[in-house]
Amino acid sequence: MRHWRSRGAIAWLLWPASLVFGVMVFLRRLFFRLRLFKSHSAGIPVIVVGNLTAGGSGKTPLVLRVAEILKEHGWKPGIVSRGYLGSAQQPRAATIAADPAEVGDEPILLARRSGCPVWVAPERIAACRALRAENPECNVIVTDDGLQHYALRRDIEICVVDGRGFGNGFLQPAGPLREPRSRLRSVDAVVVHGAKGVQGYAMTLEGDQLVRMTDARALRPAKSFAGQRVHAVAGIGDPKRFFLQLARFGIKLVPHPFPDHHAFRAEDFAFGDSDPVVMTEKDAVKCKRIVAGLQVQFWVFPVSASLDPAFERWLLEKLGGSKAA
């Protein structure tokens, strides 16, 4: 109880700074709408998948599902990302052989799972241009995050709201919000990932197999670990979500939550025993080299987004009617 009171007191102390942040957010968006700040078109339809809160909310699985839907219906999508925490300052292709330290962890996962060209750059319009130059057949772009990146014009905005909702409802730094909740009224679609009291298309993350990190051919049903003690490692926006997914299979979890996009080191896995370790796909991208010499089995739990069927119909209809299309 004391912990929550302390957090609440800190939030109220930071509230004046949040007011300033809110004014800046309002003015920035207004200036883009009035064209006082310049925005750029990618020349083809752009679908932005983002959220209002800081941290992960299930955007990457949704981007993968959106790309899959588009490919199933004859589109040739490319994917663009900021490459969060990556060092690349110029547009770079994110491939399965790329270094996560340069392009970020999520872009490599997107490249491996989607089969689409994936490019990263601090300025998303630069990534779009580089992607199109190398892949002229691409006729639609999906951006992983970027709802607040107004310098890139978009045809469709999709906002994900996860089980954490909107936190204490404050803008940063007093709360988790990048933009006020009212921003939901201006997006084209809201995808609800475990959130309560929010209207939108329902999404769940599903998976039932574990993959050996050092050998993708080695698969085991997750339920085969039932009753076994396992170290569960997650450096994502909501580690609890990952732990609950594994717990449903009857696995005896020892949870190890880390901050989102955590830069793992070998000592992070010094648990003092030989019990197997299970982690998310996003974390595994960064850890393959780190765990190669450790005498412990490392497993990955891949998940895929399952969406309300009405979302697919809406997306294709909306995309087909977009001006860029």
Side-chain angles (χ1 to χ4, degrees), residues 11 31 50 57 64 68 75 94 108 122 136 151 176 201 213 215 241-242 256 267 273 275 282 306 313 322 325:
F31 289 168
S57 58
L64 287 169
E68 186 178 33
W75 290 85
I108 296 177
Y201 296 103
M213 187 184 295
D215 184 1
R241 183 180 68 225
F242 174 69
H256 301 276
E267 47 264 41
D273 55 49
D275 291 335
K282 189 176 83 167
S306 176
R313 296 191 295 269
S322 71

Side-chain angles (χ1 to χ4, degrees), residues 105-106 233-239 242-243 256-262 264 279-280 282-283 286:
D105 46 21
E106 288 160 342
V233 173
I236 58 176
D238 186 7
F242 174 69
F243 301 147
H256 301 276
F258 289 88
D260 196 16
H261 297 283
H262 179 68
F264 286 96
M279 61 176 54
T280 70
K282 189 176 83 167
D283 294 324
K286 298 176 289 189

Side-chain angles (χ1 to χ4, degrees), residues 32-254:
F32 272 110
R33 293 180 67 181
L34 296 176
R35 300 189 178 182
L36 298 176
F37 288 170
K38 191 172 183 180
S39 61
H40 305 271
S41 170
I44 55 177
V46 171
I47 302 170
V48 171
V49 177
N51 62 350
L52 297 184
T53 58
S57 58
K59 296 186 298 292
T60 299
L62 179 56
V63 167
L64 287 169
R65 181 57 190 144
V66 167
E68 186 178 33
I69 291 171
L70 296 175
K71 290 171 71 175
E72 289 171 353
H73 290 84
W75 290 85
K76 298 185 183 300
I79 299 174
V80 161
S81 170
R82 164 66 180 86
Y84 184 66
L85 293 183
S87 62
Q89 295 302 307
Q90 300 298 322
R92 287 282 305 274
T95 67
I96 57 175
D99 185 350
E102 293 182 357
V103 302
D105 46 21
E106 288 160 342
I108 296 177
L109 172 58
L110 288 166
R112 184 169 64 81
R113 287 282 299 270
S114 71
C116 298
V118 180
W119 280 72
V120 304
E123 296 295 328
R124 288 173 178 82
I125 185 60
C128 291
R129 289 168 177 164
L131 186 155
R132 293 196 66 197
E134 293 293 326
N135 304 272
E137 74 283 359
C138 176
N139 56 12
V140 59
I141 286 174
V142 185
T143 73
D144 184 20
D145 208 358
L147 189 62
Q148 292 77 31
H149 189 80
Y150 295 113
L152 175 63
R153 295 178 194 169
R154 66 286 308 271
D155 298 86
I156 299 175
E157 290 184 331
I158 302 171
C159 184
V160 187
V161 183
D162 71 355
R164 295 169 298 167
F166 306 100
N168 60 11
F170 290 155
L171 292 169
Q172 297 178 333
L177 295 181
R178 300 169 173 177
E179 292 184 289
R181 181 173 177 172
S182 59
R183 176 73 166 88
L184 287 184
R185 295 198 292 267
S186 63
V187 301
D188 296 288
V190 176
V191 171
V192 180
H193 179 208
K196 304 295 184 183
V198 181
Q199 296 296 317
Y201 296 103
M203 179 179 82
T204 57
L205 298 182
E206 299 178 350
D208 59 8
Q209 287 192 319
L210 298 181
V211 183
R212 185 81 173 267
M213 187 184 295
T214 54
D215 184 1
R217 298 167 298 178
L219 303 174
R220 278 185 61 178
K223 63 183 180 182
S224 69
F225 286 84
Q228 186 173 353
R229 188 174 182 268
V230 166
H231 293 284
V233 173
I236 58 176
D238 186 7
K240 183 180 177 182
R241 183 180 68 225
F242 174 69
F243 301 147
L244 289 174
Q245 284 178 304
L246 293 177
R248 293 191 184 102
F249 296 105
I251 303 172
K252 295 182 178 179
L253 296 182
V254 181

Side-chain angles (χ1 to χ4, degrees), residues 259-302:
D260 196 16
H261 297 283
H262 179 68
F264 286 96
R265 300 173 297 175
E267 47 264 41
D268 290 329
F269 305 107
F271 300 134
D273 55 49
S274 59
D275 291 335
V277 177
V278 179
M279 61 176 54
T280 70
E281 273 189 294
K282 189 176 83 167
D283 294 324
V285 164
K286 298 176 289 189
C287 295
K288 285 187 176 181
R289 298 174 186 174
I290 297 173
V291 307
L294 302 181
Q295 302 302 310
V296 175
Q297 287 191 7
F298 282 81
W299 296 84
V300 183
F301 182 56

